[in-house]
Amino acid sequence: LKTGWDVVIGALAGGEEFGFGTIAMIAEGCIMARICHTNNCPVGVATQKERLRAKFPGTPDAVVNYFEFVGEEVRQVLAHMGYEKLEDVVGRGDLLARREEATP
């Protein structure tokens, strides 16, 4: 999941819980080097080495800002659909429609 649109589509398909692990790490500054387990994170997100941790550019504000954006987008999409709460659309696959320009 990356956007509020993704959350709403997931809810329409029946989702009640949503995972944001990877995108939250990217918002924090992770470059997904996939070497977390080696204690050699190049941006200092996942390491205990002070030399590497000093490179860490992230702040908690970046993650908070991201989730506020997602929440606001969910509210906008729901308002456009005529709903107030996400729980009102969970499992409402009948609200999904295939786009004409979509190809099988």
Side-chain angles (χ1 to χ4, degrees), residues 66-86:
Y66 167 73
F67 282 112
E68 286 178 349
F69 165 77
V70 171
E72 182 59 32
E73 188 176 18
V74 167
R75 286 188 286 276
Q76 289 173 1
V77 172
L78 289 174
H80 181 74
M81 295 171 60
Y83 293 91
E84 292 183 19
K85 299 181 287 186
L86 189 61

Side-chain angles (χ1 to χ4, degrees), residues 8-30:
V8 174
I9 295 298
L12 290 169
E16 295 179 340
E17 297 180 7
F18 307 95
F20 290 93
T22 302
I23 195 69
M25 289 297 294
I26 291 170
E28 187 67 19
C30 177

Side-chain angles (χ1 to χ4, degrees), residues 6-98:
D6 296 335
V7 171
V8 174
I9 295 298
L12 290 169
E16 295 179 340
E17 297 180 7
F18 307 95
F20 290 93
T22 302
I23 195 69
M25 289 297 294
I26 291 170
E28 187 67 19
C30 177
I31 61 169
M32 303 304 288
R34 308 268 188 222
I35 58 171
C36 305
H37 62 287
T38 67
N39 200 28
N40 290 308
C41 176
V43 291
V45 175
T47 185
Q48 295 300 312
K49 295 180 180 178
E50 289 299 325
R51 172 181 59 82
L52 295 173
R53 289 175 74 183
K55 296 180 181 182
F56 181 59
T59 64
D61 294 339
V63 178
V64 170
N65 187 43
Y66 167 73
F67 282 112
E68 286 178 349
F69 165 77
V70 171
E72 182 59 32
E73 188 176 18
V74 167
R75 286 188 286 276
Q76 289 173 1
V77 172
L78 289 174
H80 181 74
M81 295 171 60
Y83 293 91
E84 292 183 19
K85 299 181 287 186
L86 189 61
E87 63 189 31
D88 293 340
V89 298
V90 171
R92 294 288 312 271
D94 58 298
L95 297 175
L96 294 170
R98 184 169 183 217

